[in-house]
Amino acid sequence: MTIERTFVMVKPDGVQRGLVGEVIRRLERKGLKLVAMKLVRLDRATAEAHYAVHREKPFYRALVDFVTAGPVVPMVWEGPSAVEVVRNLLGATDGRRAAPGTIRGDYGADIQMNLVHGSDSPETAAAEIALHFRPEEIVEWSRTLEAWLHEEG
Ligand code: IDP
Ligand code: MG
């Protein structure tokens, strides 16, 4: 079992729609552990770096406009296979196609405004965490509940 960290961010549409608590609730209930969180307005340079992999896509500029249009809630979550677990909880990119039961499937019907970002690999997660958080903003803490959530590594 690999304990991973993943970068999750409630996007401006999720914050505007009052879904921050719902996103956190679902990740907490899954047994993931929150180790960093803040509310910020991304500057353009950070948003461009965050989505740099999509820089040649036709939707890139609109995407950067969207993600800088209001506050976001960047977070770091930890747990066994956290990257994959979060991606499964988020659902497919397009809310119209995302399965019911997923966050995007339950709350969204748009491809750009899909409420939440989740890293797509442990390598991407490390880069995104470093982009959005200073090391001292990540909190190491232990849960007494841990033994009831998953077997020891
Ligand atoms: P992901 O967030 O599910 O990993 P990506 O393909 O990495 O999806 O795209 C990054 C973000 O860009 C998406 O979450 C969504 O907000 C936006 N996006 C992706 N595809 C499109 C598109 O075809 N039109 C507009 N926005 C898009
Ligand atoms: Mg992606």
Side-chain angles (χ1 to χ4, degrees):
M1 184 186 65
T2 330
I3 298 290
E4 289 175 352
R5 282 180 176 174
T6 189
F7 176 75
V8 178
M9 185 174 76
V10 184
K11 299 186 187 185
D13 55 330
V15 175
Q16 292 287 344
R17 291 180 54 196
L19 291 171
V20 174
E22 178 63 17
V23 171
I24 292 172
R25 188 184 73 90
R26 288 182 178 218
L27 273 52
E28 279 184 320
R29 286 196 165 181
K30 183 67 177 173
L32 291 159
K33 186 167 88 174
L34 181 63
V35 296
M37 176 169 74
K38 58 189 171 184
L39 180 127
V40 290
R41 181 91 179 250
L42 294 184
D43 58 42
R44 211 161 170 93
T46 305
E48 285 174 352
H50 177 81
Y51 282 124
V53 66
H54 296 302
R55 133 182 105 241
E56 308 301 334
K57 305 268 174 63
F59 59 80
Y60 178 67
R61 196 189 163 84
L63 178 60
V64 173
D65 288 346
F66 157 61
V67 84
T68 55
V72 295
V73 178
M75 299 177 274
V76 181
W77 289 84
E78 197 176 274
S81 305
V83 169
E84 184 188 357
V85 166
V86 166
R87 294 282 289 187
N88 288 337
L89 291 173
L90 298 193
T93 305
D94 186 342
R96 288 165 290 207
R97 302 216 169 92
T102 64
I103 295 172
R104 288 164 170 176
D106 285 352
Y107 296 109
D110 192 67
I111 190 162
Q112 180 192 71
M113 290 190 283
N114 58 6
L115 303 161
V116 194
H117 168 85
S119 307
D120 63 8
S121 72
E123 296 71 33
T124 312
E128 292 175 345
I129 291 166
L131 175 67
H132 293 276
F133 287 97
R134 297 191 306 275
E136 63 270 25
E137 290 180 301
I138 298 168
V139 180
E140 309 267 355
W141 62 289
S142 55
R143 281 188 300 196
T144 51
L145 188 65
E146 213 69 43
W148 297 100
L149 288 168
H150 49 81
E151 293 170 61
E152 293 299 317

